[in-house]
């Protein structure tokens, strides 16, 4: 066997994180898979000897740092851990807003701070952060989620400016709805707000991430699929049209 | 029991992806090559079919791994239909290696199997200690409609003098197919030499296909003789 590379994957108990961890393990990587969902983690890692699980909450910076230190030199981080409760802005308890920001934004900060210094020292590495199309096109019921994901975008842009050109590749993945257990639950509970959208195949999202890693280092954003690309372009060039379409489709 | 775990049958694969190519080869040479299994290739007009497939198993009962298959279409001695005899099946993880050999007698061995299924052209290699046995590239084809029923296939294996028959169902989505479309480079390995002797070095494929997501189910093996 060639020397195995090591990846750290968060949110690996289900959905995109689980599939990302399994694909990396299939390719012979050593994978350290994190989640708070221990049964989910166990299912992800079942019978994959190179997939190691750690119950870890990304809101705890010390716990994340300890797991990253234990993992040794990381070649790739795939940060997929997130929550996305759908609630109107004024109905959402402020504690829940804090929680969304804590997991989705500060969790990202904790993961990056745990992994990036060693990557910069090594002069190589890949940090893949999952954002959302909601960060560019916030819709109904997503105020806290969209704000947290927009913060992830801004944070990553700063990282690129501050630490770009030193061998570490940053990617921010901006998918439309992805067909994960989390999205299925939301679409069932909120058929109007999700406009009856069927989620995109998570495998296709990860294919787009893989392809993006071959692109130039500064090419930060990854828009998987036509819907994400078209929506992002429409929002950029025709923001009023975008808002009208969104309003009509989700009301 | 595999590595301390009991593997229940049928074994279910929930997410696999495939890039494959089929080649026409001289039937007498194919017959000689697989005669050790007591099976005969399904031949027409003096040609048999050799199939090469690179598979990524992401989510399934045997864990996550890459696999490369060299198979021949054969006559099923039980019902006279067509089956796939698995001549060689390198994998890159230990659990599936042990399970495949002990449950079904699949000729699995450990290899490095880099596999890129994300790009337009799907690429795979099989390497042993840095030496390349073969490399396969599959160019994109045209989308095929997905059939709703899961087709049943029969696989055959041969290990330690025993030929086994394995019922197998597959349910693919995201299928693309085209005539030709494969580039096969043969390297330095016993199986590469066998494929070279069949005329596959630089050969044009009959057809190639890719599957973005496939579920599969493998039942237990029955001995053929």
């Amino acid at each position: 066997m060639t020397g195995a590379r090591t990846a750290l994957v968060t949110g690996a108990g289900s959905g995109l994180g689980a599939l990302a961890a399994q694909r990396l393990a299939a390719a012979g990587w050593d994978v350290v898979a994190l989640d708070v969902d221990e049964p989910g983690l166990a299912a992800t890692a079942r019978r994959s000897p190179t997939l190691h699980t750690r119950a870890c909450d990304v809101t705890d910076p010390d716990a994340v740092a300890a797991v990253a230190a234990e993992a040794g030199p990381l070649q790739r981080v795939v940060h997929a851990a997130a929550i996305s409760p759908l609630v109107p802005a004024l109905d959402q308890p402020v504690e829940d807003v804090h929680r969304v920001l804590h997991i989705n934004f500060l969790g990202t900060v904790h993961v990056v701070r745990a992994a990036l210094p060693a990557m910069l020292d090594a002069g190589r590495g890949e940090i893949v952060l999952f954002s959302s199309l909601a960060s560019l096109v916030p819709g109904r019921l997503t105020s806290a989620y969209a704000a947290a994901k927009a913060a992830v975008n801004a944070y990553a842009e700063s990282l690129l400016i501050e630490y770009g050109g030193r061998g570490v590749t940053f990617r921010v993945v901006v998918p439309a709805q992805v067909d994960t257990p989390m999205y299925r639950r939301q679409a069932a509970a909120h058929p109007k707000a999700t406009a009856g959208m069927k989620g995109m195949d998570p495998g296709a999202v990860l294919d787009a991430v893989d392809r993006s890693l071959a692109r130039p280092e500064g090419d930060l954003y990854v828009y998987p699929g036509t819907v994400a690309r078209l929506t992002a372009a429409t929002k950029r060039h025709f923001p009023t049209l975008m808002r009208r379409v969104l309003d009509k489709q989700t009301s | 029991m595999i590595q301390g775990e009991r593997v229940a049958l049928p074994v279910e694969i929930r997410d696999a992806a495939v890039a494959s190519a089929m080649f026409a080869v001289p039937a007498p040479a194919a017959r000689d090559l697989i005669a050790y299994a007591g099976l005969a290739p399904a031949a027409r007009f003096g040609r048999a079919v050799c199939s090469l497939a690179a598979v990524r198993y992401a989510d399934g009962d045997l864990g996550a791994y890459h696999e490369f298959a060299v198979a021949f279409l054969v006559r099923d001695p039980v019902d006279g239909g067509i089956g796939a005899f698995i001549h060689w099946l390198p994998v890159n993880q230990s659990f599936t290696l042990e399970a495949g050999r002990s449950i079904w007698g699949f000729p699995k061995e450990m290899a490095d199997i880099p596999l890129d299924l994300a790009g337009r052209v799907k690429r795979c290699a099989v390497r042993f200690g840095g030496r390349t046995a073969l490399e396969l590239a599959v160019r994109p084809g045209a989308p095929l409609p997905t059939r709703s029923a899961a087709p049943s296939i029969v696989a055959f294996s041969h290990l330690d003098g025993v030929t086994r028959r394995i019922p197998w169902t597959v349910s693919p989505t995201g299928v693309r197919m085209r005539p030709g479309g494969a580039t096969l480079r043969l390297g330095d390995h016993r199986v590469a030499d066998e494929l070279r002797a069949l005329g596959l070095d630089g050969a044009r494929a009959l057809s190639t296909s890719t599957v973005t997501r496939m579920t599969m189910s493998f039942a237990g093996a029955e001995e053929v003789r």
Side-chain angles (χ1 to χ4, degrees), chain A residues 24-168:
Chain A
L24 287 163
W29 290 59
D30 272 324
V31 180
V32 181
L34 278 60
D35 207 305
V36 288
D37 171 11
E38 293 188 53
L41 272 185
T44 300
R46 190 162 172 250
R47 295 172 181 167
S48 293
T50 62
L51 214 163
H52 317 284
T53 61
R54 297 289 179 270
C56 180
D57 187 338
V58 294
T59 63
D60 179 345
D62 294 336
V64 176
V67 169
E70 178 206 16
L74 295 171
Q75 169 61 27
R76 187 178 299 177
V77 167
V78 179
H79 175 47
I83 57 169
S84 60
L86 295 179
V87 190
L90 294 181
D91 295 346
Q92 191 166 26
V94 74
E95 296 79 13
D96 286 7
V97 178
H98 290 186
R99 187 171 141 73
V100 171
L101 284 161
H102 208 166
I103 294 173
N104 294 9
F105 173 56
L106 291 177
T108 303
V109 174
H110 299 156
V111 169
V112 168
R113 291 171 70 100
L116 181 57
M119 285 184 171
L120 291 170
D121 287 345
R124 66 188 176 90
E126 295 151 329
I127 295 186
V128 178
L129 306 175
F130 275 92
S131 180
S132 163
L133 200 55
S135 68
L136 307 178
V137 189
R140 288 175 204 280
L141 312 185
T142 64
S143 56
Y145 175 76
K149 290 296 192 182
V152 169
N153 299 359
Y155 183 66
E157 291 201 24
S158 287
L159 292 175
L160 182 61
I161 295 261
E162 289 176 342
Y163 304 105
R166 293 172 59 182
V168 179

Side-chain angles (χ1 to χ4, degrees), chain A residues 1-2 19 21-23 25-29 43-44 46-51 179 201-203 206-208 210-211, chain B residues 3 5-7 14-15 56-66 92-95 110-112 117-119 213:
Chain A
M1 300 293 98
T2 51
L19 188 58
Q22 288 172 324
R23 283 190 175 192
W29 290 59
T44 300
R46 190 162 172 250
R47 295 172 181 167
S48 293
T50 62
L51 214 163
D179 185 16
D201 172 24
L206 296 178
D207 284 345
D210 279 350
R211 286 193 301 272
Chain B
Q3 296 186 359
E5 287 201 45
R6 184 170 300 282
V7 176
R14 291 168 289 277
D15 184 336
R56 176 184 60 213
Y57 294 84
D59 184 10
D61 290 350
L62 302 182
Y65 61 102
H66 289 175
N92 71 342
Q93 294 286 348
S94 60
F95 188 92
M110 281 295 262
D112 285 327
L117 296 176
R213 185 165 181 187

Side-chain angles (χ1 to χ4, degrees), chain B residues 89-103:
Chain B
L89 199 61
V91 294
N92 71 342
Q93 294 286 348
S94 60
F95 188 92
T96 186
L97 173 86
E98 207 178 315
R101 291 183 72 92
S102 61
I103 299 172

